[in-house]
Amino acid sequence: MNSEISGGDKMKWNEVREKYHNQWILIEALEADSKDGNRLIKDVSVINSYNDSKSALKEYAEKHKKNKSREMYVYHTKNQELVIKERTRIGVRKNG
């Protein structure tokens, strides 16, 4: 299954898990907070659902390349909670 979700309704994680049971999903965080190095996401919009992570990650990369300001994640609905570890970027970027 790889079906584009239209509308992208605001949902809680438990609603997402019920509707997209045992699937990989591409979601956009609509409301989230940071605590103890974790991103705690309260409300999401489901962009798409998939049977495999490879397809989900491919679409994530395409959408992220077009708009880096969107807070999107690929996650599996087998997870009871939606908690994302925050990554800190360390290093030097080369310009040019």
Side-chain angles (χ1 to χ4, degrees):
M1 177 189 261
N2 178 1
S3 56
E4 183 75 24
I5 309 301
S6 61
D9 294 332
K10 184 176 180 177
M11 301 174 78
K12 300 288 185 194
W13 181 241
N14 63 330
E15 296 171 312
V16 174
R17 291 185 73 225
E18 286 177 23
K19 189 171 182 177
Y20 302 98
H21 182 72
N22 202 33
Q23 294 179 48
W24 287 96
I25 54 170
L26 174 58
I27 57 172
E28 182 171 8
L30 300 177
E31 186 177 339
D33 293 314
S34 293
K35 183 178 180 182
D36 300 327
N38 292 318
R39 196 76 178 133
L40 307 174
I41 301 167
K42 297 176 184 176
D43 294 312
V44 301
S45 173
V46 176
I47 297 170
N48 216 336
S49 63
Y50 314 84
N51 287 328
D52 63 284
S53 62
K54 186 176 179 179
S55 298
L57 290 167
K58 181 179 178 185
E59 185 169 351
Y60 166 84
E62 291 168 1
K63 290 190 179 302
H64 182 70
K65 187 175 181 179
K66 291 178 185 175
N67 186 348
K68 291 180 174 47
S69 67
R70 293 175 75 185
E71 187 176 352
M72 296 181 293
Y73 301 99
V74 171
Y75 216 66
H76 199 281
T77 58
K78 70 180 177 187
N79 295 298
Q80 295 261 338
E81 295 180 11
L82 180 56
V83 179
I84 308 290
K85 291 276 185 205
E86 290 183 314
R87 293 188 295 176
T88 53
R89 295 196 174 151
I90 300 172
V92 178
R93 274 194 172 173
K94 182 179 177 181
N95 291 331

